[in-house]
Amino acid sequence: MFMAFVFALNQILSHGFGLFLFAALVPLMRETIAISHWHLALVGALTQIAYLLGALLLGAVGHRIGTAKLSIMTGILTSSLLFSLSVIEEPVVIIALLTILAASAAMSWGTIVEIISRYAQRQHRSTYLATASSGTAWGYAINGGLILLVAPLVGWQASWLFASLYGVFVVCLTCYLLVKLKSEKTERLDKGVSGSNLEPNQNALSFGLLMNTIRHHRVAFFSCLICFLVGFATMPFSNWLNTYLDSLGLSSDLGGYTWAIAGVSGMFAGVLVGKLADKKSHAYSLLSIFSVFFVCILFFLYDAALFAPLAGFGYGLMYFPMWGVVAGWVGQSFGATATMQINGICMVTFGLGGTLGNVIAGYIFELTHSLNLVFVLIAIDAFLLVLLGSWIMWQQKRRLTLFDNIAELA
C-alpha cells in the first residue's frame, strides 16, 4: 500500500492544491488583488481546456519521455507554480499559472495510472488506483483546514507557500518510491521472475490505433462512456449545488455540510471501493457506487433541505474512487502504457460530458430561472449509469458462464 499512499499524496498536490486551492482561497485573495468575475470565468474555461489538452498530450508523448520522469517533472512544476502563486499578485499571470497547473494535473494522474498498472500486483491494482484517486478528496479536506486555520492567521499567501513546501516533500518521496520500484523490478528479472504487469503487450498505441481501440474494444469504449456520463452528472452537480440550495431559500451552511460530507466519504471510499473491485469485480464495484449515487440523488430531489448531505455522501462515494476503478478495469485488458493512453481519452470524455452538462444547466437556468430540471437530468444520467453498470456486469457473467461451459466440454 506504500505505492498507493505516495500517489495519493501526489493527487493531493496536483488536484487538491493545483486544481482546487484557488477556488478555496479566491474570496481572501480578492481582498488584496483585483480579481474580477471575468477573471474567474476565464480561469474556469482555460483550466478545463488545459486539463483536456494535458490528457491528450500525455497520451501522445508520455510513453516517449517515460512516466517515471514525467511524474517527477510534473511534481516539480506544480510545486514551483504553487510557490509562484504565493508572491504574484497580477491576475493575468495568476490565470496563466493556474492554466499550466491544470494541464500538469491531468498529466500527473496519467503517470500514476501507468506506474501503478505496471508495478502493482494484479489482485491489488484497483485498490491502489482507487486509493490514489481518492487523494483528491483529502485535498478538499486540507484546503478547508488552510482556509480555517492558516489563512486567517498568516494570510492567503502562506497557504500557497505551505502547498509548495508540501510539494517538495511529495517529490522527494516519489523519487524514493520510483527508485525502490525499479530496484525491485531488476531483482525480479535477475531471479527470472516476470514483472507484475507483463501479461498484456506493453507497447504504446499510435493515435490512429488508440482511436480505433476506443471505438471497437468493449472495455475501452464503455470506460470512456462511463466517464462521459459521470462528467455530465458530477460537474453540473458541483457547480450548481450551492446556487440551487440558495434558490430554495436554504442556509448556506447546508452547502458547506454537504461538501464536507462529500470530502469525507471520498477520503475513505478509495480503499473500500477499490477492494470491492479487486475481490468481486470491477463491474460489481461500479454498479454499487452508481446505484448509491442514484438513490442519494432521488432522496435529494424529494427533499433537498433534508437530504442534501446524503447527496454529498453519494457524490463523494462515487466520484473520487471511480477513476481508479475504471483505470483498473482497463488495465485488465491492456498493458500499462495503453492503459495510460486510454485513461487520457477517458479524461477527455469526462470533460466533454461535464462541459455539455454545464452548458445545458446554464441554458435551463436562463430559460426557466429554476434548477429543478437540472437535477432531474442528473438523476436520469445517474440511472443511465446504473443501467450501464448492470449491462456490463451481465455481459461479464455471461462471458464467464460461456468460458465455464467450454471448459466442461473440453
Side-chain angles (χ1 to χ4, degrees), residues 106-123:
M107 300 182 76
S108 175
W109 169 243
T111 64
I112 290 172
V113 169
E114 202 277 346
I115 294 169
I116 292 180
S117 298
R118 183 178 296 275
Y119 289 105
Q121 295 178 348
R122 192 179 185 88
Q123 63 270 27

Side-chain angles (χ1 to χ4, degrees), residues 3 7 58 62-63 66-68 107-120 125 129 197 202 327 335-341 343:
M3 175 166 44
F7 286 127
L58 178 70
H63 58 283
T67 50
M107 300 182 76
S108 175
W109 169 243
T111 64
I112 290 172
V113 169
E114 202 277 346
I115 294 169
I116 292 180
S117 298
R118 183 178 296 275
Y119 289 105
R125 199 173 295 157
L129 285 165
N197 188 40
Q202 294 286 356
T337 303
T339 297
M340 175 189 69
Q341 293 178 295
N343 186 78

Side-chain angles (χ1 to χ4, degrees), residues 109-164:
W109 169 243
T111 64
I112 290 172
V113 169
E114 202 277 346
I115 294 169
I116 292 180
S117 298
R118 183 178 296 275
Y119 289 105
Q121 295 178 348
R122 192 179 185 88
Q123 63 270 27
H124 300 307
R125 199 173 295 157
S126 292
T127 302
Y128 288 6
L129 285 165
T131 300
S133 66
S134 291
T136 305
W138 287 88
Y140 274 39
I142 296 172
N143 287 346
L146 291 175
I147 296 172
L148 293 174
L149 302 176
V150 176
L153 295 177
V154 290
W156 57 264
Q157 294 90 344
S159 297
W160 291 113
L161 183 60
F162 169 85
S164 67

Side-chain angles (χ1 to χ4, degrees), residues 86-204:
S86 70
V87 296
I88 291 175
E89 298 188 358
E90 172 57 46
V92 175
V93 179
I94 290 174
I95 291 171
L97 297 183
L98 292 171
T99 302
I100 299 172
L101 280 170
S104 179
M107 300 182 76
S108 175
W109 169 243
T111 64
I112 290 172
V113 169
E114 202 277 346
I115 294 169
I116 292 180
S117 298
R118 183 178 296 275
Y119 289 105
Q121 295 178 348
R122 192 179 185 88
Q123 63 270 27
H124 300 307
R125 199 173 295 157
S126 292
T127 302
Y128 288 6
L129 285 165
T131 300
S133 66
S134 291
T136 305
W138 287 88
Y140 274 39
I142 296 172
N143 287 346
L146 291 175
I147 296 172
L148 293 174
L149 302 176
V150 176
L153 295 177
V154 290
W156 57 264
Q157 294 90 344
S159 297
W160 291 113
L161 183 60
F162 169 85
S164 67
L165 293 176
Y166 167 85
V168 174
F169 165 74
V170 169
V171 169
C172 293
L173 195 60
T174 304
C175 288
Y176 168 77
L177 171 67
L178 294 175
V179 171
K180 185 172 180 286
L181 290 175
K182 187 175 181 180
S183 175
E184 290 176 352
K185 181 180 179 181
T186 302
E187 289 179 6
R188 285 197 302 269
L189 293 176
D190 289 342
K191 293 177 182 178
V193 180
S194 64
S196 60
N197 188 40
L198 297 180
E199 309 95 356
N201 188 353
Q202 294 286 356
N203 293 333

Side-chain angles (χ1 to χ4, degrees), residues 317-345:
L317 182 71
M318 188 270 288
Y319 174 69
F320 295 108
M322 179 278 302
W323 292 101
V325 176
V326 168
W329 186 39
V330 173
Q332 286 193 321
S333 302
F334 296 91
T337 303
T339 297
M340 175 189 69
Q341 293 178 295
I342 294 169
N343 186 78
I345 303 300

Side-chain angles (χ1 to χ4, degrees), residues 44-60:
L46 290 180
T47 53
Q48 185 65 46
I49 293 171
Y51 196 84
L52 299 182
L53 292 177
L56 289 173
L57 184 61
L58 178 70

